Amino acid sequence: MKKIPENKNTSATLAVQTEITIPSYKVPVKFTLSDQKLISEMFENKSDLADCRLLVEYRRLGVQGGYNELLCLKELKNIEKYWYQIETVKKTLKYFHGRVLLADEVGLGKTIEAGMLIKEYLLRKMVKNILILAPSPLVSQWKEEMHQKFGLKFITTDDDIFQADPDKFWNNKFIIASINTAKSGRNFKKIVAKFYDLVVVDEGHHLKNRKTAAWKLVNEIKKRFIFILTATPLQNNLIELFNLITLLKPGQFKTEKLFRQEYMRKKNESSLDKKEKLKSLLRDIMIRNTRSVIDLKLPKRFASTIRVEPTDAEKQIYDYISTVSRDLSPSLPANTIRLLIREAGSSPFALKDTLIKLKPLIGDTANHILELIDKTKDIGKGKSLIELLQKNPQEKKVIFTQYLKSMDYCISLLSKHGIPFAEFRGNMTAEEKDAAINNFRENIPVLISTELGGEGRNLQFANTLINFDLPWNPMRIEQRIGRIHRIGQTRDVFIFNLSVKNTLEDYMINILENKINMFEMVIGEVEPILGYLGEDKEFENIILDIWLKSSDQKTINKNFEDFGSKLVKAKSEYLKSAALDKEVFGEDYEV
Amino acid sequence: MIDLYNFTIKFLRHNGAIAEEKNGALEAVFPADLAKTLKTDEYSDIVFSPDEKNGELMSFDSDLFKKLPKVFNEKGKFSAIKVPSPHIHIDKLKKRITDKIIFQNAVFSAGENEEKAISYLLAFFKFTAFSDERREGVMSILLNEFNLSSARFGLEQLDDLTEIFERPLKNTKKMDNEKILNALCAAPKAIAREELEDFIQSANRRLNRDTKRIHEYYRTLIAETLQFIEKKSLGQKEKANSLNKIQAIETELRWKTDDLITKYNIDIRIDPISFIRIETVAPIFWLTIKRRKLTRLFPLTYNPLLKNFDNLPCESCFNPGNIHWVCDDKAHIICDKCFKTCPKCAKNYCGACHKNRCPKCGFIDNDY
């Protein structure tokens, strides 16, 4: 670290040197009145005095008070709102005037807080256009969450419209952009030319360096409100925090030079001087809820993966699909290839419909695979599933699968073995879903659920989760676990993953479980760890690439091993930064 | 101000429903059309707490509350009533005129008096101010349609009026509609500004606090760069780079300041809610106002609602006020705020004649 030169000028003398007349401004006030025609028309219909009196009283009663009552709470769907999130929203509106660093520890719902704030500002008609900047792998997740949980439709830089007409794209009111795309030359200029009522920056620690284009972009955007979201505002040193705060409130910590002089010891930038003053300045701009403050203590979690030996037919089918995918990957869209391999990983039955659709492209091999599927009655996972269900039959167990055909297989299997179960599918009505959950809670030991169906439902009265298949997105795996390992869970939680040997899922679960111990981590920690990978691609695309580019077992092993090492490094960096955050911030910034 | 519970009783009963109080809730029988409009059962309990499950919830953000405008439809936007003329002693009243009326730069004399049918407009507006915060409220103003004087007047003050005549008054004296409408559009601005004074001041305070912070920040950056230039034995190129850096900092300071001002911009939206025309017979005293060589007549009215003389109007902002000036060009009566002094060239000018533009130097005063 470069040593700061000894400077005889203290901050006070510097302030004297720079004493200047600060201009004083008056806020421009603009009035908008209904036009005179509308006023004239009001005189056309004569009413009783009592009607007028009631109308005025009604309007008076309808006047919104302060921020003590949030308007957004009634509008939110499928969200469990916690008291600290509501308090965070109120505090941001009331005391921070919409400029805040939301730095909750992982897993406490920063996105939910940001979404509630967005919704609140929209309902109060205080914002008309919103720009959300997120790392590329999180763009689609933001879009989905804003739509599903907040009923807000955003367009994103992943959408076709962006590719088709980028100029038109930036004129939209609700945009989610990859920060990498946004900071590129042409887009940069377009973004900074506009005024945004609200800017949200996710994974704000990417703005730690003020020399980067990302920092410059956020600095130059004209905006009224800004929320910067990060669980790790400090990753290496206090200057990163200085840079983040300077985006929200330039001058809050004076200049970098003065900040270093005042708050950082020369030999160790991570340690603190004048701790209290720094804390007091940070309290003006940052909210950081921690697990200990909100008393979020969850029971232990135990995970084990059952590596299932495939039947001969299963193995053949999977090998065929892998070969076909590798051969067709240059010509078929990545989504189709991904779907094929994911379905094959779930069960051969899940694969059938897609294969039929792709027959013209795949040709005879497709027919051959279809024949094999039709002949398949049982698969390796089925036996393991039944064994798991028959252990402790009185314990409530949730089975998650991604595909309806795999779900149907599970249903027929359980029926055959006389195991009672409840079904939970995405296409059921709200009443049917409620009835299924109630039935599971009160009477039935097993719930079979599609991933889509299970989202947002709390099942903490059960303590065993069986992943019949595994999503390739680790955050989705966390969401599944979060259904039972959440506030209200009183018993230890058991997670069983079923993976067929030598499938892509098998390799994936190996690195997630054995390299970064994902199943022992706090829910929410995977996302920042993946952020430390520094990859612009989503996790599922990274592992798909590895799979498609590795033609034999040896290469697959090596490439996954290499990727696992990167993950280990990313986790270590994350842990280092989390420890630093804990040391610096403690529990002083909660709501 | 009436609370939600009592408002609901009043509203339902006015619209033909039977509403009986029952342990903090209401037992209501709705007429069929009202039940249909509100999409509720004809027999229904109305509860006021979200914890109370057995009944239709009435709260500020409940569906039932939000459906009420459907019942109002076009009703309640305009009404006309008459109030009796006051029994007063004209001579005693005339003697009080000199106590009541003061011009800062003109003289006047009270001449003839008469009784005339005149009307007032009690106007209600909703204002909503948007900045980095939001504030809204309901305001009212009583506008004399004969001489455009105005006064603050609340709905509750109408409760004191006991008598309402059946038949309309004949030959009610009014200004022409355009002038009334102009006054109706101007007056709420000034009142909203008054109502929002703390809101505007808070935005000004925060703007200037932020301005100070960023100026200090960028000026210190400049000072640090200057120190760097002075202390080091820099080459020409490095020196030029540092000077360029200073220029860049200054540019950034300028647009950061502009950004701050935009951030705090206040938009105030004003929407009319309801107008109540109040007709009466009132005594009028004709004043002759003299300012330099100009003279004009002005009808001073005695307001039976306020039981006092009406204020003089400000013919620029139509805001009720006590300090009045007369302009040199057209003898407009204007309030202290509208008798403006140009911040640039210090010329005094009339807001009614020139709005917010100085007739001498052309400076536009945005604080108008």
Side-chain angles (χ1 to χ4, degrees):
Chain A
M1 191 64 60
K2 195 180 163 187
K3 197 180 166 189
I4 310 296
E6 203 65 51
N7 192 341
K8 285 175 193 163
N9 286 312
T10 62
S11 58
T13 56
L14 199 55
V16 170
Q17 276 182 5
T18 58
E19 205 164 292
I20 43 135
T21 317
I22 309 274
S24 170
Y25 298 99
K26 277 189 177 167
V27 173
V29 179
K30 195 181 106 194
F31 286 93
T32 314
L33 271 92
S34 305
D35 68 23
Q36 293 195 355
K37 190 168 169 264
L38 191 138
I39 294 178
S40 306
E41 283 168 5
M42 286 178 66
F43 290 91
E44 286 168 11
N45 295 316
K46 198 170 152 190
S47 318
D48 289 347
L49 176 63
D51 281 317
C52 290
R53 212 187 270 269
L54 279 169
L55 182 61
V56 172
E57 281 165 354
Y58 175 72
R59 294 289 179 213
R60 270 189 190 165
L61 287 168
V63 163
Q64 283 166 16
Y67 293 120
N68 290 332
E69 296 300 322
L70 296 181
L71 308 178
C72 66
L73 297 180
K74 266 189 78 178
E75 306 275 330
L76 307 182
K77 303 165 197 166
N78 307 324
I79 304 179
E80 198 171 345
K81 303 162 284 270
Y82 295 107
W83 65 268
Y84 63 89
Q85 292 172 331
I86 293 171
E87 289 308 313
T88 297
V89 172
K90 284 183 185 172
K91 198 171 170 184
T92 303
L93 296 163
K94 220 169 165 176
Y95 301 113
F96 291 87
H97 298 284
R99 287 192 162 222
V100 68
L101 177 64
L102 292 174
D104 288 4
E105 279 186 345
V106 287
L108 297 185
K110 285 184 289 298
T111 316
I112 300 292
E113 289 166 358
M116 285 165 75
L117 280 161
I118 291 173
K119 192 79 183 173
E120 190 68 25
Y121 274 132
L122 283 169
L123 288 170
R124 289 174 186 266
K125 298 187 171 59
M126 291 173 75
V127 300
K128 292 191 184 91
N129 63 346
I130 301 166
L131 173 67
I132 297 175
L133 297 169
S136 311
L138 301 182
V139 166
S140 55
Q141 190 179 312
W142 265 93
K143 181 178 180 173
E144 198 179 309
E145 287 207 41
M146 287 298 109
H147 183 51
Q148 283 183 355
K149 295 178 177 162
F150 300 97
L152 300 173
K153 283 194 176 171
F154 278 80
I155 63 158
T156 78
T157 43
D158 287 353
D159 296 343
D160 293 342
I161 178 178
F162 177 65
Q163 302 302 335
D165 192 347
D167 290 350
K168 203 173 157 192
F169 174 83
W170 294 112
N171 290 331
N172 283 285
K173 299 263 183 218
F174 294 175
I175 295 175
I176 300 170
S178 140
I179 195 154
N180 270 349
T181 309
K183 74 185 184 191
S184 69
R186 192 176 166 195
N187 297 318
F188 189 113
K189 281 183 193 156
K190 291 201 179 306
I191 295 170
V192 299
K194 293 174 80 77
F195 182 85
Y196 291 92
D197 292 323
L198 172 58
V199 174
V200 180
V201 188
D202 191 18
E203 302 295 345
H205 47 267
H206 292 304
L207 306 174
K208 64 187 176 187
N209 184 346
R210 60 189 306 165
K211 289 190 174 129
T212 59
W215 191 94
K216 287 175 184 160
L217 172 73
V218 178
N219 183 45
E220 286 189 34
I221 293 176
K222 298 182 201 75
K223 58 212 168 268
R224 175 167 279 159
F225 306 118
I226 173 168
F227 317 142
I228 298 182
L229 280 53
T230 175
T232 51
L234 269 180
Q235 293 189 315
N236 298 302
N237 58 52
L238 277 176
I239 288 301
E240 295 167 355
L241 181 67
F242 170 85
N243 289 338
L244 276 181
I245 301 295
T246 300
L247 283 174
L248 290 161
K249 266 192 173 183
Q252 176 78 353
F253 286 139
K254 308 281 187 274
T255 63
E256 184 180 328
K257 187 176 172 183
L258 293 177
F259 180 79
R260 283 178 189 271
Q261 284 173 4
E262 194 149 4
Y263 301 108
M264 295 165 71
R265 287 184 196 143
K266 285 166 195 160
K267 285 184 181 169
N268 182 1
E269 290 197 336
S270 300
S271 59
L272 286 174
D273 212 359
K274 301 196 176 178
K275 208 170 175 180
E276 281 313 308
K277 191 177 173 195
L278 179 76
K279 279 186 175 175
S280 136
L281 286 168
L282 275 175
R283 270 188 216 107
D284 284 349
I285 198 107
M286 181 172 93
I287 299 175
R288 180 173 172 83
N289 295 307
T290 59
R291 279 163 200 284
S292 55
V293 167
I294 61 166
D295 204 20
L296 185 60
K297 290 178 193 126
L298 293 177
K300 284 183 183 164
R301 206 161 69 200
F302 299 94
S304 59
T305 298
I306 299 165
R307 298 189 70 212
V308 176
E309 201 65 57
T311 61
D312 288 345
E314 267 185 281
K315 188 172 182 321
Q316 275 191 57
I317 292 167
Y318 200 86
D319 288 345
Y320 271 128
I321 289 298
S322 292
T323 311
V324 162
S325 302
R326 284 185 188 115
D327 293 346
L328 292 178
S329 67
S331 53
L332 273 184
N335 282 346
T336 313
I337 299 287
R338 195 164 46 223
L339 185 66
L340 270 177
I341 305 178
R342 276 172 55 180
E343 287 175 340
S346 175
S347 75
F349 318 108
L351 182 66
K352 195 173 169 182
D353 287 350
T354 309
L355 214 50
I356 291 169
K357 278 182 204 154
L358 291 176
K359 239 164 49 173
L361 288 167
I362 301 175
D364 283 348
T365 314
N367 288 328
H368 186 58
I369 303 171
L370 285 167
E371 274 171 32
L372 281 170
I373 294 172
D374 287 339
K375 282 179 194 161
T376 305
K377 297 291 172 230
D378 261 323
I379 55 173
K381 280 184 185 176
K383 193 179 159 217
S384 303
L385 177 66
I386 294 299
E387 281 171 10
L388 281 172
L389 293 175
Q390 284 172 340
K391 277 183 203 163
N392 301 324
Q394 73 288 356
E395 284 290 357
K396 294 200 183 292
K397 300 179 180 78
V398 185
I399 303 168
F400 270 119
T401 173
Q402 299 173 90
Y403 298 103
L404 288 171
K405 293 287 178 191
S406 297
M407 186 172 179
D408 291 343
Y409 167 72
C410 294
I411 287 169
S412 67
L413 197 67
L414 267 66
S415 306
K416 203 166 95 184
H417 287 83
I419 300 170
F421 60 87
E423 287 176 53
F424 195 94
R425 296 170 191 256
N427 59 2
M428 286 160 69
T429 63
E431 291 76 24
E432 287 169 336
K433 284 178 180 171
D434 288 344
I437 298 292
N438 284 337
N439 205 10
F440 175 49
R441 186 192 292 113
E442 306 298 333
N443 313 309
I444 309 273
V446 178
L447 178 80
I448 310 177
S449 172
T450 56
E451 193 167 15
L452 186 68
E455 193 154 306
R457 295 284 172 159
N458 302 325
L459 308 169
Q460 59 269 53
F461 52 89
N463 74 334
T464 305
L465 169 69
I466 301 169
N467 286 315
F468 184 80
D469 50 29
L470 283 158
W472 291 3
N473 180 344
M475 276 87 91
R476 286 221 180 277
I477 302 178
E478 279 187 329
Q479 278 170 13
R480 286 182 176 183
I481 299 168
R483 298 297 101 221
I484 63 170
H485 200 228
R486 61 190 305 113
I487 296 172
Q489 179 60 269
T490 52
R491 296 175 299 159
D492 288 346
V493 162
F494 298 92
I495 299 151
F496 297 97
N497 305 308
L498 301 182
S499 77
V500 177
K501 275 185 186 169
N502 296 325
T503 57
L504 190 152
E505 288 77 11
D506 193 33
Y507 284 93
M508 178 188 79
I509 200 72
N510 178 41
I511 55 169
L512 291 177
E513 191 175 8
N514 299 324
K515 296 286 181 185
I516 61 168
N517 304 102
M518 177 183 150
F519 293 96
E520 285 167 26
M521 289 174 354
V522 169
I523 288 179
E525 281 191 311
V526 167
E527 191 179 308
I529 290 173
L530 296 183
Y532 275 96
L533 278 176
E535 292 273 355
D536 214 17
K537 281 194 289 192
E538 290 179 37
F539 181 87
E540 54 192 66
N541 290 333
I542 297 173
I543 57 172
L544 178 66
D545 271 3
I546 294 176
W547 189 257
L548 293 176
K549 284 174 186 163
S550 314
S551 51
D552 55 60
Q553 203 72 40
K554 200 177 155 195
T555 328
I556 294 175
N557 281 334
K558 187 190 173 298
N559 289 343
F560 268 100
E561 189 62 33
D562 290 349
F563 181 50
S565 303
K566 282 188 192 169
L567 276 175
V568 171
K569 196 172 162 225
K571 183 176 177 183
S572 143
E573 283 177 32
Y574 160 72
L575 290 175
K576 205 172 100 191
S577 138
L580 182 60
D581 283 304
K582 198 168 180 181
E583 182 198 326
V584 173
F585 301 124
E587 292 164 3
D588 285 322
Y589 305 94
E590 74 286 2
V591 286
Chain B
M1 192 175 128
I2 193 166
D3 61 20
L4 184 59
Y5 184 79
N6 286 306
F7 168 80
T8 311
I9 296 175
K10 207 167 149 186
F11 178 87
L12 291 178
R13 287 179 182 164
H14 178 71
N15 285 286
I18 298 167
E20 296 299 333
E21 300 178 31
K22 183 186 140 190
N23 305 327
L26 291 177
E27 212 171 35
V29 184
F30 293 80
D33 55 341
L34 183 61
K36 196 178 163 193
T37 310
L38 294 175
K39 291 184 181 158
T40 185
D41 295 335
E42 287 185 28
Y43 296 89
S44 185
D45 282 356
I46 295 176
V47 297
F48 293 82
S49 161
D51 302 330
E52 185 58 65
K53 301 290 175 208
N54 299 321
E56 191 93 32
L57 176 67
M58 176 64 102
S59 67
F60 295 121
D61 58 354
S62 66
D63 292 339
L64 186 59
F65 187 77
K66 287 175 187 162
K67 278 182 216 155
L68 298 189
K70 288 184 185 166
V71 180
F72 283 112
N73 197 5
E74 286 300 307
K75 286 189 295 185
K77 290 184 177 173
F78 172 62
S79 170
I81 61 168
K82 292 112 222 157
V83 298
S85 56
H87 301 289
I88 40 164
H89 200 292
I90 293 291
D91 290 337
K92 277 186 183 171
L93 207 56
K94 200 170 179 179
K95 284 178 189 166
R96 281 169 47 197
I97 293 176
T98 45
D99 298 334
K100 167 78 182 174
I101 303 297
I102 298 166
F103 288 105
Q104 303 297 311
N105 63 344
V107 292
F108 73 93
S109 58
E112 295 296 310
N113 62 277
E114 58 185 322
E115 279 207 333
K116 275 196 185 299
I118 62 166
S119 60
Y120 290 88
L121 207 53
L122 178 56
F124 292 89
F125 295 90
K126 181 180 173 185
F127 59 87
T128 314
F130 301 93
S131 176
D132 65 336
E133 288 187 327
R134 175 187 163 128
R135 178 79 62 84
E136 58 183 23
V138 171
M139 59 188 174
S140 59
I141 187 165
L142 185 69
L143 184 78
N144 183 325
E145 292 190 286
F146 178 50
N147 64 9
L148 301 184
S149 77
S150 62
R152 304 295 291 268
F153 194 85
L155 191 61
E156 291 77 10
Q157 289 171 270
L158 275 185
D159 292 343
D160 300 338
L161 302 174
T162 49
E163 200 172 347
I164 297 173
F165 295 138
E166 288 300 320
R167 281 181 297 173
L169 295 171
K170 285 179 183 170
N171 304 321
T172 308
K173 294 288 177 194
K174 283 203 292 182
M175 284 269 188
D176 64 62
N177 278 339
E178 200 185 323
K179 283 187 177 164
I180 293 171
L181 270 176
N182 282 340
L184 262 188
C185 290
K189 282 190 197 173
I191 296 176
R193 199 180 256 279
E194 269 182 28
E195 294 273 338
L196 290 164
E197 198 177 345
D198 62 332
F199 183 85
I200 296 169
Q201 274 180 3
S202 159
N204 279 326
R205 208 166 36 242
R206 282 179 291 123
L207 168 65
N208 286 305
R209 186 196 60 199
D210 288 355
T211 305
K212 183 170 181 278
R213 197 186 63 241
I214 64 161
H215 270 261
E216 282 174 354
Y217 172 62
Y218 285 102
R219 293 290 161 198
T220 312
L221 278 182
I222 290 171
E224 284 173 0
T225 316
L226 286 170
Q227 269 182 6
F228 177 77
I229 295 171
E230 280 168 19
K231 285 186 87 174
K232 304 268 173 177
S233 46
L234 299 178
Q236 283 300 321
K237 198 179 167 190
E238 281 170 305
K239 210 167 191 173
N241 282 346
S242 297
L243 290 170
N244 283 342
K245 189 179 164 190
I246 290 174
Q247 262 187 348
I249 295 169
E250 280 173 344
T251 310
E252 189 162 324
L253 171 60
R254 273 197 296 278
W255 63 253
K256 281 280 180 189
T257 309
D258 290 346
D259 195 14
L260 270 184
I261 296 170
T262 314
K263 178 192 157 195
Y264 285 111
N265 265 351
I266 298 176
D267 283 334
I268 302 173
R269 187 176 165 75
I270 297 173
D271 296 301
I273 299 172
S274 182
F275 298 114
I276 301 168
R277 178 162 285 137
I278 304 164
E279 295 179 348
T280 189
V281 175
I284 295 169
F285 301 87
W286 287 96
L287 306 185
T288 305
I289 303 167
K290 289 183 182 174
R291 165 70 184 157
R292 292 188 174 154
K293 287 178 184 171
L294 290 173
T295 56
R296 71 173 277 194
L297 279 176
F298 178 78
L300 179 69
T301 42
Y302 179 83
N303 187 323
L305 304 166
L306 300 172
K307 298 185 175 58
N308 202 343
F309 288 111
D310 278 317
N311 289 317
L312 289 172
C314 170
E315 290 169 331
S316 172
C317 71
F318 299 94
N319 189 28
N322 294 319
I323 302 172
H324 291 92
W325 301 76
V326 175
C327 93
D328 288 346
D329 298 333
K330 293 182 179 171
H332 285 126
I333 301 170
I334 43 178
C335 71
D336 209 30
K337 278 185 184 166
C338 296
F339 185 62
K340 302 181 74 65
T341 304
C342 174
K344 199 174 167 192
C345 68
K347 175 165 174 71
N348 290 328
Y349 64 94
C350 165
C353 295
H354 304 288
K355 289 207 169 177
N356 58 344
R357 189 187 185 93
C358 172
K360 187 178 170 191
C361 69
F363 180 80
I364 295 173
D365 185 358
N366 281 323
D367 194 32
Y368 181 69

